[in-house]
C-alpha cells in the first residue's frame, strides 16, 4: 500500500514542478496542485485503509483490559476469602 502512496506523491510532485516551471504557471498553483491532488487524497486513502488495523487494535486493547480487570477481581476475591476464612474457623475458648 505504501508503495502506491509514494508513487502517487512522486507523480503529484512532478505535476507541481511542471506547474511551477511553466511560463504560465505559478508557485501558488504548484502548491495547490500538490495539496489538492497529492496530500489531501493520499491522507484520506491512508486513513481509510488503516481503519481495519485501528479497529483490530482497539478490540485487542479492550480484550486485554477486560482480562486484566477479571484477573484483578479474582485476586481481590481470593484475598478477601483468605482474610475471612481464618476468622470463621477460629473457635472461641470457654473459661
Amino acid at each position: 500500500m505504501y508503495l502506491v502512496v509514494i508513487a502517487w506523491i512522486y507523480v503529484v510532485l512532478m505535476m507541481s514542478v511542471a506547474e511551477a516551471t511553466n511560463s504560465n504557471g505559478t508557485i501558488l498553483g504548484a502548491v495547490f496542485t500538490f495539496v489538492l491532488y497529492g496530500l489531501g487524497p493520499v491522507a484520506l486513502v491512508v486513513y481509510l485503509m488503516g481503519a481495519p488495523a485501528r479497529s483490530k487494535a482497539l478490540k485487542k486493547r479492550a480484550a486485554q483490559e477486560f482480562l486484566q480487570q477479571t484477573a484483578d477481581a479474582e485476586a481481590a476475591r481470593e484475598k478477601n476469602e483468605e482474610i475471612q476464612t481464618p476468622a470463621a474457623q477460629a473457635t472461641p475458648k470457654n473459661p
Side-chain angles (χ1 to χ4, degrees):
M1 177 178 91
Y2 291 113
L3 183 61
V4 173
V5 169
I6 292 168
W8 182 249
I9 292 293
Y10 175 75
V11 168
V12 172
L13 181 65
M14 292 297 111
M15 289 171 52
S16 298
V17 169
E19 173 77 25
T21 59
N22 190 358
S23 60
N24 292 332
T26 62
I27 300 294
L28 183 62
V31 169
F32 276 113
T33 298
F34 188 73
V35 171
L36 296 178
Y37 283 113
L39 294 182
V42 165
L44 180 64
V45 167
V46 168
Y47 176 76
L48 292 176
M49 296 297 284
R54 286 191 307 275
S55 176
K56 191 176 187 180
L58 182 64
K59 288 179 183 178
K60 183 178 179 181
R61 187 171 59 233
Q64 287 176 344
E65 288 176 1
F66 176 74
L67 288 175
Q68 183 64 37
Q69 288 175 352
T70 305
D72 290 345
E74 181 68 24
R77 186 180 61 81
E78 288 177 2
K79 185 177 180 182
N80 192 19
E81 287 177 358
E82 289 174 1
I83 292 172
Q84 291 179 356
T85 303
Q89 291 178 352
T91 57
K93 295 183 181 180
N94 290 331

